[in-house]
Amino acid sequence: MFKKHLAWAVLPVAAVALAACGSSSDSKSDSGSGSAKNAANKTMAIITVDPSNPYWKAEVDTAQAEAKKLGYKTTVNAHNNDQTKQSNFIDAAISAKVSAIILDPAGAKESIGAVQKATSAGIPVFLVNAEIDQQGIAKSQIVSNNSQGATLGAQEWVKAMGGKGDYVELFGQPTDNNAKVRSDAYHGVIDQYPDLHLLQKETANWDRQQGKQKMEIMLQAHPNITGVIAGNDEMALGAIQALKDANKLSQVKVLGFDGNNDAAAAVANGEMVATALQPIVQGSTMAVDQADQYLKTGKTGANAEKQAINCVLITKDNAAKLHDFVVAQ
Amino acid sequence: MLARLKANRSAIIAEGRALLALVIIVVFFASMSSRFLDTTNLVIMTRHVAFNAILALGMLLVILNGGIDLSVGSTVGLSGMVAGYLLKGWEIPGTHQVAYPSVWVVILVGCLVGMLVGVVNGILVAKLNVAPFIATLGMMYAVRGLAELVGNGQTFTQLFGQKALGNTGFVSTLHDNVLGLPFPIWVMIVLTVLCSLYLTRTPFGRWLYASGSNERAAALSGVPVKRVQVRIYVLAGLCAGIVGLLLTADLSAAVPEGGSGYELNAIAAVVIGGAALSGGRGTVRGTIIGAFVIGFLVDGLVLIGVSVFWQEVIKGAVIIVAVVVDQAQQRLQKRRTAKQVSGPGSSPAAPAARSESTVMTRA
C-alpha cells in the first residue's frame, strides 16, 4: 500500500520539477526594459557546447546578459559537440523565426551545413569560440587565438623548467580541433629545446578525473618527470591532484589552458606555472554586439568575418585579478 | 549429488576463465614493465579498480534480476555534487542562514541521494512496468541534469572544510590510507563480503536468483518479485552514491560530469565475470575479477605507453572475447547437462535451471 502511494508521490515532484524548469526559462527570456525599442520581442538563439564546463558557462552567461541588455529575448541550447543535435537546434531556431543565432559550432567541417541552412532561411549566424572551414556563410567568426595563447603558455613553462627536463603531455579530446592546435603550438616552442624530453602523451578528454587517473599511472612509469603540459585547465588540475597525492608537486611544473577560476587559484598559490586565458567573455560580447549591429544596420561593424582575439597569459603576477574569465584592470 | 558436483565445477570454470584472463594480463604487463608489480603501482591500480568494482557489485544485483541500470554513472555525479554542495554550506531556504552539516551527515546524505535515485528506478521498473533499459536511460539523463543543477554547472573545490565550522575530514576520511591501504579499497573489500553473504546466506539472495532465472515461476512459488526488484535498484543506487562520495574525496573536487560513462565499465566488469545479461547467472567473485581485468588492462596499457586509440580497441576486444567464450561454454554446458540428466519427461530447461540454483550457493 505504501509503495502505491509512493508511486503517486513521484508525479507531483515531477510536475514541480517541470514547473521549475519552465520558470527558469521564463526568466532567461525576460526582455530588457526596452533600451532598444526596435529590438523588443526579438529573440537571439544561443547554441553552446556544454554549460557544465565553466568555460562554456561563461560564454552563455555573457551572451545572455549582453543580449538582454540590448533588449533581446534569448533561448539557450547545448549540443555537446554532437552535430545532429546542433542541426536540430538550428532547425528549431529557424522554425521559431529567431532574429539571429549565436553559435559555438560543433566541428569546423561538420558545422558548415548547419550554418548554411540558417543563412539560407534568412537568419544571420554569428560564430563564437570556434570557426568553420568556409567563409562567406556566417556573418562573423570570432575565435580566441588558441595558437598564440598556447605559445605564450609554453614559453612561460619552458622558463620555469629552466629549458631542460623530462615531461609528459595530457592531450584534449582527439576529435576536437583545439586539442591539436594547442598541442602543436606547445611543441612549436618546446621542441626548440633539445634538453626537454617528452616521455609520454596521453589523452584525458578534457576531463579532470581522467587527468588524475592517467597522471597517477604515468607517474609510475616515469617517476622522475619534472613537467606536465595539459591541453586545458581541468586536465591540469587533475594532474596536480595526482602529484599532490604522490608528494611530487614541488618537483613538477604544470601548464594549463583556459583560465578558469580553479586554475587561477592554482596559479596564484604556485601549484600551476601558468595558464592562457581565453577571452571568451570578450568574444561572446562581441558576437552579440555584432549581431545587434547587423540587425539594425545590415553590417557587423567589424573589418573581417574572421576575427581572432588574443589570449592573455596568466601567471602568478596577475592570477589574483582573474575571476570568471575576466582579468580586473 | 552428482549433478551438484558437476554444476560446481561449471561455476569454477566460469570464474576460472575470468581469472585466467586476469593472470594473462598480469603476466603480460609484468613482462612489459618492471613497474607493473611494484607495490605502489598495484595499490594505485587497485584504488582505480575499487570505484568500478563497487559500481559493478550494484550492477550485478540488477543484472542477476535480468535488468540493467544505466543511471549509475549519473548518480555518481549527483551524489558527489550534493556532497560538495553541503560541504560548501547549505543556505536554508527562506532564511539567510547557512548550515554546515558535519561530515558524517554529508556522507549519509550522499548515500541517501543514491538510494533515492534507485527508488525511482525501482518504481519505474517494478510498479510502472517500464523496461529497465528505458527507465534507467531516462534517469541517466535526468539525474545528470540534476547534478549540473546542484551547482548551476559549477565545480565545487576546496572541500577540506573548516575547523571552526566543524566540517573537516571529508577528504581525509574517504581518501587517506587506513592500515596501509587507501580507504576506497577497504570499502570495496567490505562491500564484496557483504554482497557475497547477502546473495548466498539470505532468503533475499535466493529470491533474486530465482526471480532472475524465471520471474513467473518465482512469483508463483511465493517470491515477492516486485519487492526484490525495487530493492536491487535501491542497492545499485546506494553503491553509486558511495562511489560518488569516494571519487569526490579522491579528486577533492565535485565535478558535475563526474562518473559519466562509468555505467558501461560496470556492466563490462559484470559480464566479463561470467554473468548472463538475461539474468539468473553470475557471482560476486566473478564480478570482482571482471573489474580487476578491466582496471588492470586500462592502467597497464597507459603504463607501457600504448596509444590511446589502441587502448580503446583492446579494451573492446577483451570484453567481446570474454562474452564469446562464455556463450560457447554455456552451450557446451547445457548440452552436457541435458544428456546426463535426461530421463522420462525432463525437459532440457529443467536441469539448466537446477545447475543455476547451485551456482548461486557458491557465489
Side-chain angles (χ1 to χ4, degrees):
Chain A
M1 211 50 208
F2 168 68
K3 291 231 175 62
K4 210 169 217 168
H5 288 139
L6 203 57
W8 288 112
V10 179
L11 291 176
V13 171
V16 168
L18 284 176
C21 295
S23 68
S24 70
S25 65
D26 280 352
S27 66
K28 271 180 197 161
S29 55
D30 257 356
S31 58
S33 51
S35 64
K37 285 215 176 66
N38 54 353
N41 293 321
K42 289 189 171 178
T43 305
M44 281 194 195
I46 302 166
I47 303 172
T48 185
V49 179
D50 173 16
S52 77
N53 181 315
Y55 176 75
W56 283 301
K57 186 167 162 25
E59 175 185 278
V60 169
D61 289 353
T62 312
Q64 261 191 320
E66 185 70 10
K68 197 174 162 186
K69 204 174 81 189
L70 294 167
Y72 293 89
K73 294 182 177 182
T74 56
T75 62
V76 174
N77 284 298
H79 58 58
N80 289 299
N81 275 325
D82 177 340
Q83 287 97 32
T84 320
K85 272 194 195 165
Q86 170 173 275
S87 180
N88 293 346
F89 291 139
I90 295 277
D91 286 338
I94 292 172
S95 44
K97 295 197 172 63
V98 300
S99 319
I101 296 173
I102 310 291
L103 172 68
D104 188 336
K109 291 192 183 64
E110 299 84 342
S111 306
I112 296 173
V115 176
Q116 181 67 59
K117 192 161 56 175
T119 308
S120 304
I123 299 174
V125 181
F126 301 83
L127 302 182
V128 65
N129 183 46
E131 53 200 339
I132 55 171
D133 276 351
Q134 199 166 326
Q135 298 212 35
I137 318 176
K139 301 301 172 231
S140 305
Q141 301 195 33
I142 302 167
V143 294
S144 34
N145 197 338
N146 274 278
S147 184
Q148 169 262 354
T151 304
L152 284 182
Q155 285 164 346
E156 188 68 22
W157 178 82
V158 168
K159 219 191 295 168
M161 293 287 288
K164 61 179 184 343
D166 295 336
Y167 70 100
V168 295
E169 175 174 359
L170 287 167
F171 190 84
Q173 202 154 27
T175 51
D176 188 331
N177 198 33
N178 278 341
K180 191 174 178 327
V181 171
R182 290 174 197 177
S183 177
D184 287 351
Y186 283 158
H187 288 290
V189 175
I190 297 168
D191 294 356
Q192 296 170 18
Y193 296 84
D195 292 335
L196 283 168
H197 304 290
L198 175 65
L199 295 188
Q200 194 169 351
K201 182 170 162 181
E202 277 292 328
T203 178
N205 297 310
W206 305 130
D207 180 90
R208 199 186 290 206
Q209 184 72 47
Q210 282 188 38
K212 182 178 185 229
Q213 296 203 346
K214 291 274 170 92
M215 190 68 216
E216 283 173 339
I217 300 299
M218 284 201 284
L219 271 177
Q220 292 303 309
H222 317 289
N224 296 320
I225 54 161
T226 55
V228 178
I229 56 172
N232 78 343
D233 285 339
E234 289 293 304
M235 296 190 294
L237 290 162
I240 287 173
Q241 197 60 42
L243 289 162
K244 268 189 197 166
D245 283 0
N247 280 326
K248 284 189 171 161
L249 187 56
S250 56
Q251 70 178 53
V252 181
K253 310 283 180 219
V254 183
L255 173 67
F257 196 105
D258 274 351
N260 71 31
N261 286 348
D262 292 346
V267 172
N269 64 27
E271 293 173 351
M272 197 188 285
V273 170
T275 182
L277 167 69
Q278 290 210 70
I280 189 62
V281 167
Q282 197 188 341
S284 223
T285 312
M286 278 168 68
V288 174
D289 287 350
Q290 291 182 13
D292 179 54
Q293 274 297 312
Y294 182 84
L295 291 173
K296 284 175 180 154
T297 66
K299 290 200 180 77
T300 60
N303 293 329
E305 178 187 328
K306 284 216 180 191
Q307 305 154 48
I309 320 173
N310 279 343
C311 297
V312 180
L313 181 70
I314 302 297
T315 61
K316 218 167 178 168
D317 301 333
N318 57 357
K321 289 189 226 157
L322 173 63
H323 189 70
D324 287 343
F325 295 95
V326 179
V327 181
Q329 293 302 316
Chain B
M1 207 53 213
L2 191 71
R4 191 192 167 95
L5 276 175
K6 297 261 185 217
N8 283 355
R9 203 193 295 160
S10 95
I12 292 167
I13 291 169
E15 276 169 21
R17 196 188 46 242
L19 198 60
L20 184 69
L22 184 60
V23 169
I24 292 173
I25 284 171
V26 169
V27 169
F28 173 76
F29 286 119
S31 69
M32 296 295 288
S33 163
S34 58
R35 300 286 308 167
F36 188 81
L37 289 180
D38 183 86
T39 320
T40 332
N41 186 50
L42 285 176
V43 170
I44 289 177
M45 291 196 302
T46 307
R47 178 158 53 79
H48 292 173
V49 167
F51 302 126
N52 187 28
I54 296 168
L55 280 185
L57 286 174
M59 190 66 78
L60 171 69
L61 300 181
V62 177
I63 285 178
L64 280 175
N65 190 255
I68 196 108
D69 189 346
L70 299 178
S71 69
V72 291
S74 299
T75 309
V76 167
L78 180 64
S79 124
M81 284 304 284
V82 168
Y85 179 78
L86 291 179
L87 286 167
K88 299 304 268 187
W90 171 53
E91 195 178 325
I92 301 161
T95 66
H96 288 291
Q97 277 167 330
V98 180
Y100 292 90
S102 56
V103 166
W104 67 268
V105 174
V106 173
I107 292 173
L108 201 68
V109 172
C111 293
L112 283 176
V113 164
M115 291 169 81
L116 202 67
V117 174
V119 168
V120 178
N121 279 330
I123 289 171
L124 287 173
V125 172
K127 307 281 171 179
L128 303 178
N129 288 319
V130 184
F133 188 94
I134 306 297
T136 58
L137 181 71
M139 287 297 282
M140 176 179 97
Y141 289 116
V143 172
R144 177 66 62 196
L146 289 177
E148 281 162 6
L149 279 171
V150 170
N152 198 12
Q154 301 267 11
T155 299
F156 294 114
T157 49
Q158 307 296 325
L159 303 176
F160 302 103
Q162 288 170 37
K163 271 233 168 68
L165 300 171
N167 63 350
T168 53
F170 179 79
V171 172
S172 53
T173 309
L174 297 183
H175 174 258
D176 287 0
N177 284 6
V178 178
L179 302 175
L181 284 179
F183 190 72
I185 297 183
W186 287 113
V187 176
M188 170 177 75
I189 293 171
V190 168
L191 287 181
T192 302
V193 172
L194 285 180
C195 195
S196 185
L197 291 176
Y198 197 46
L199 283 179
T200 56
R201 300 275 183 268
T202 66
F204 176 81
R206 283 190 285 281
W207 291 345
L208 178 54
Y209 278 99
S211 63
S213 304
N214 187 338
E215 187 176 330
R216 177 121 183 88
L220 287 174
S221 50
V223 173
V225 285
K226 298 290 174 193
R227 208 163 86 205
V228 169
Q229 256 178 348
V230 174
R231 200 187 292 182
I232 53 169
Y233 283 99
V234 172
L235 290 173
L238 173 63
C239 288
I242 292 172
V243 172
L245 295 168
L246 293 174
L247 269 180
T248 300
D250 185 52
L251 203 55
S252 61
V255 286
E257 65 270 39
S260 54
Y262 282 29
E263 59 279 349
L264 299 180
N265 274 336
I267 294 170
V270 175
V271 168
I272 289 177
L277 284 179
S278 49
R281 179 166 60 89
T283 63
V284 168
R285 212 158 39 194
T287 299
I288 294 295
I289 296 172
F292 271 95
V293 166
I294 292 196
F296 277 20
L297 181 69
V298 168
D299 281 350
L301 291 171
V302 175
L303 191 72
I304 64 171
V306 173
S307 122
V308 66
F309 302 120
W310 280 109
Q311 289 179 24
E312 303 284 313
V313 173
I314 294 168
K315 186 171 146 192
V318 166
I319 296 172
I320 292 171
V321 168
V323 177
V324 168
V325 173
D326 181 57
Q327 283 303 315
Q329 201 178 359
Q330 284 305 308
R331 266 200 303 277
L332 204 70
Q333 194 66 37
K334 263 188 191 148
R335 218 175 294 151
R336 224 180 268 158
T337 357
K339 228 180 268 168
Q340 273 157 3
V341 198
S342 67
S346 75
S347 73
R354 195 186 308 165
S355 79
E356 262 144 30
S357 67
T358 29
V359 171
M360 125 204 153
T361 60
R362 310 197 7 93

